[in-house]
Amino acid sequence: QSVLTQPPSASGTPGQRVTISCSGSSSNIGSNTVNWYQQLPGTAPKLLIYTNSHRPSGVPDRFSGSKSGTSASLAISGLQSEDEADYYCATWDDSLNGWVFGGGTKLTVL
Amino acid sequence: QLQLQESGPGLVRPSETLSLTCTVSGGSIGTNYHWAWIRQPPGKGLEWIGSIYYSGSTYYNPSLKSRVTISVDTSKNQVSLKLRSVTAADTAVYYCARHDGLYVSFDYWGQGTLVTVSS
């Protein structure tokens, strides 16, 4: 049972817009910034979004992040087949005094 | 380009100690960064094990704290992980990662190394 709650799966067709949610509490998302990671099959996670909504250099602007209260969201527009991956949210938890991750969302491009 | 490479035994016996090393190249480990260990059991999600500042200050996942030691060797540009009294539940891919501050995102990751706990 992960501290942050994500839907286990999401799907969309090429060109569509999909969103992935991440729900937490006042001790984690409510008081700290959220990061998102993309893990392509068989590879290490890669930083996709940091500090709620910022993209590292090289990440397409099709990816966007937002945060409101104790929840965060990752949006992918213009879905492409290469976006098929697992996506994880993460943040610091003040009560646990450590990093916590969501359980991950497997995105399928139909 | 910064690169992180994990190394260590791929098989550890139950009750023994898992020992891994992360070698950093393309940059110095002795700068204002934190270095983390994160693991992923087969088919499951990510779990933060702990982090260390280059000066040696450590921060551990409370659920693993009693069994974990993370250390840094700036002369070798390496970060090490020791996990004691392992069980099958510790079987996972172990990643090292860099973060620019304890509360800041993990921006560089190693490729990961699979450690299986089995007799």
Side-chain angles (χ1 to χ4, degrees):
Chain A
Q1 191 82 358
S2 301
V3 173
L4 305 180
T5 301
Q6 295 181 236
S9 64
S11 63
T13 56
Q16 261 191 334
R17 181 178 188 270
V18 297
T19 61
I20 297 171
S21 62
C22 176
S23 178
S25 67
S26 58
S27 66
N28 43 65
I29 293 179
S31 15
N32 296 292
T33 61
V34 177
N35 309 302
W36 289 89
Y37 299 89
Q38 177 192 57
Q39 187 174 32
L40 297 170
T43 69
K46 166 193 164 186
L47 180 62
L48 194 66
I49 297 287
Y50 66 96
T51 317
N52 302 330
S53 59
H54 295 83
R55 287 184 307 276
S57 173
V59 174
D61 59 7
R62 302 186 295 104
F63 295 90
S64 62
S66 63
K67 182 187 118 169
S68 178
T70 58
S71 294
S73 291
L74 172 70
I76 309 171
S77 60
L79 198 61
Q80 298 180 5
S81 58
E82 55 261 41
D83 298 334
E84 196 160 277
D86 293 325
Y87 293 85
Y88 294 90
C89 58
T91 189
W92 182 266
D93 190 297
D94 293 335
S95 294
L96 297 175
N97 209 30
W99 281 92
V100 291
F101 287 90
T105 298
K106 183 175 184 62
L107 175 63
T108 300
V109 180
L110 302 170
Chain B
Q1 175 77 346
L2 191 73
Q3 291 188 320
L4 288 69
Q5 178 69 58
E6 304 88 350
S7 60
L11 179 65
V12 180
R13 307 297 182 194
S15 80
E16 295 189 344
T17 296
L18 178 160
S19 296
L20 296 175
T21 298
C22 173
T23 301
V24 178
S25 58
S28 174
I29 207 168
T31 50
N32 272 0
Y33 291 111
H34 286 75
W35 305 89
W37 286 97
I38 296 161
R39 70 181 182 178
Q40 184 172 35
K44 297 187 178 180
L46 300 166
E47 179 182 36
W48 175 73
I49 299 170
S51 296
I52 187 166
Y53 192 45
Y54 79 98
S55 63
S57 299
T58 51
Y59 312 84
Y60 297 132
N61 184 325
S63 69
L64 297 169
K65 186 174 183 176
S66 64
R67 299 194 291 131
V68 173
T69 301
I70 296 175
S71 59
V72 62
D73 186 334
T74 54
S75 67
K76 295 182 179 179
N77 239 27
Q78 291 178 336
V79 182
S80 296
L81 168 70
K82 291 189 185 301
L83 181 63
R84 297 175 289 278
S85 304
V86 298
T87 69
D90 296 309
T91 293
V93 175
Y94 286 75
Y95 297 100
C96 61
R98 187 191 83 168
H99 49 140
D100 187 6
L102 183 58
Y103 312 113
V104 180
S105 57
F106 306 106
D107 57 356
Y108 284 91
W109 294 65
Q111 66 184 30
T113 187
L114 174 62
V115 179
T116 302
V117 179
S118 175
S119 55

